[in-house]
Amino acid sequence: MEVAAKNSLLVCTQLECETTEEMQASIEQAKVEGADLVELCIDSMEFSHISEVDKLIQHPTLPAIVSY
């Protein structure tokens, strides 16, 4: 995964979704719209086990910051 060179401007998109499926779709859409990285706000998600969140970050489409 390529990260922009030092001193370049990066665009980070904050994502708040209810499900892992919605979050994955939002990550894909952010990439299409030009985001360089995403912030996954997992406190907005409804999940039964942390492994569901782990699936989102195992094979990322974009670099991600995970916040709660």
Side-chain angles (χ1 to χ4, degrees):
M1 196 169 299
E2 187 175 316
V3 180
K6 190 174 184 177
N7 298 325
S8 293
L9 176 67
L10 296 175
V11 176
C12 180
T13 302
Q14 182 183 45
L15 302 177
E16 295 181 6
C17 301
E18 291 183 11
T19 67
T20 55
E21 292 81 14
E22 289 174 356
M23 189 70 81
Q24 188 62 51
S26 293
I27 293 169
E28 295 295 331
Q29 186 62 36
K31 183 176 182 178
V32 168
E33 293 181 10
D36 298 301
L37 65 150
V38 291
E39 178 183 1
L40 308 178
C41 302
I42 63 169
D43 55 315
S44 65
M45 294 176 62
E46 295 178 15
F47 54 91
S48 59
H49 195 270
I50 195 67
S51 64
E52 294 177 49
V53 176
D54 194 41
K55 289 177 188 176
L56 287 173
I57 58 177
Q58 287 287 331
H59 304 287
T61 304
L62 291 171
I65 298 167
V66 179
S67 64
Y68 184 84

